[in-house]
Amino acid sequence: MEAAHDFVLGSRVSVALGDSETIQGEVFSVDALSGTLILRRPAHENTNTSHYVSLVNMARISSVEVLEEGSGELREVSAPSEKDLERKEVKAREAAEKAFRSINFSVSPAGQQMFDMLSKTLPCEWDGESIVVMQQARVNPPYSQRSVVQMEGDQIAMERICRMVADFSKKLAAS
């Protein structure tokens, strides 16, 4: 096992864990207190992240091969722009408002559970104690298949909503 002080920041290493597993990456950080080596690896092209991070328990390391020596210097981490922070703030606020609008304190737990289930896949909103689904159907208390009322003409959407309500009602009744 390598000691924490043996790892140079920025080095590219290949770390063997026992006999079967090997991880390659750049030494991003070393935490001597917890015995953790943090390796950074480039992400695949089809992801929305630039790097993967692996936390390696140094007690499991059987051998280390240095592929490229690093400088040991800490790199400057760029701060997010003000525009990026504002965009994230707006997105977080919208998510919080949507989550708050999805809660209806005047309905039964079964009604709230029905809303939560439907809203995972279909746009829903509360209208008093009724759940309005896709502006196509209204699910009234007691939130069963018989309490689904068609609002507009899309029969396929209505059948899907009725099927989802019926299936979830059965699950609620069984629990």
Side-chain angles (χ1 to χ4, degrees):
M1 180 188 104
E2 297 290 314
H5 62 275
D6 292 340
F7 291 101
V8 178
L9 294 180
S11 295
R12 278 192 354 94
V13 296
S14 177
V15 179
L17 306 174
D19 294 332
S20 59
E21 188 177 0
T22 302
I23 300 174
Q24 289 187 11
E26 174 190 347
V27 176
F28 189 73
S29 182
V30 179
D31 183 4
L33 187 63
S34 67
T36 304
L37 169 66
I38 302 170
L39 296 177
R40 186 173 89 151
R41 302 173 288 128
H44 302 293
E45 291 181 24
N46 297 336
T47 62
N48 56 354
T49 186
S50 60
H51 290 86
Y52 294 123
V53 176
S54 297
L55 303 174
V56 180
N57 180 347
M58 290 194 300
R60 289 195 57 218
I61 296 174
S62 58
S63 68
V64 176
E65 178 186 353
V66 177
L67 304 173
E68 185 180 316
E69 194 68 42
S71 66
E73 298 287 320
L74 293 176
R75 278 194 256 150
E76 188 74 25
V77 178
S78 61
S81 70
E82 191 170 325
K83 192 174 188 176
D84 286 341
L85 291 174
E86 288 173 0
R87 194 174 316 124
K88 286 182 180 186
E89 180 184 6
V90 166
K91 192 174 181 179
R93 189 180 315 116
E94 287 172 352
E97 289 170 356
K98 181 181 178 190
F100 185 74
R101 283 192 310 270
S102 72
I103 300 170
N104 190 337
F105 295 102
S106 64
V107 299
S108 66
Q112 184 65 55
Q113 290 174 335
M114 181 68 70
F115 182 93
D116 294 343
M117 181 277 303
L118 289 168
S119 67
K120 285 181 183 177
T121 56
L122 304 171
C124 297
E125 60 187 38
W126 286 107
D127 182 17
E129 291 186 353
S130 297
I131 304 169
V132 177
V133 185
M134 298 173 41
Q135 299 298 322
Q136 298 286 322
R138 176 183 299 276
V139 184
N140 299 312
Y143 311 106
S144 64
Q145 185 175 5
R146 282 187 232 131
S147 62
V148 179
V149 179
Q150 187 167 359
M151 294 171 62
E152 293 190 13
D154 189 349
Q155 190 60 35
I156 295 171
M158 181 66 177
E159 290 170 4
R160 179 176 180 204
I161 294 165
C162 284
R163 190 171 45 252
M164 291 174 73
V165 169
D167 291 347
F168 193 71
S169 295
K170 288 177 189 173
K171 286 180 185 174
L172 283 177
S175 62

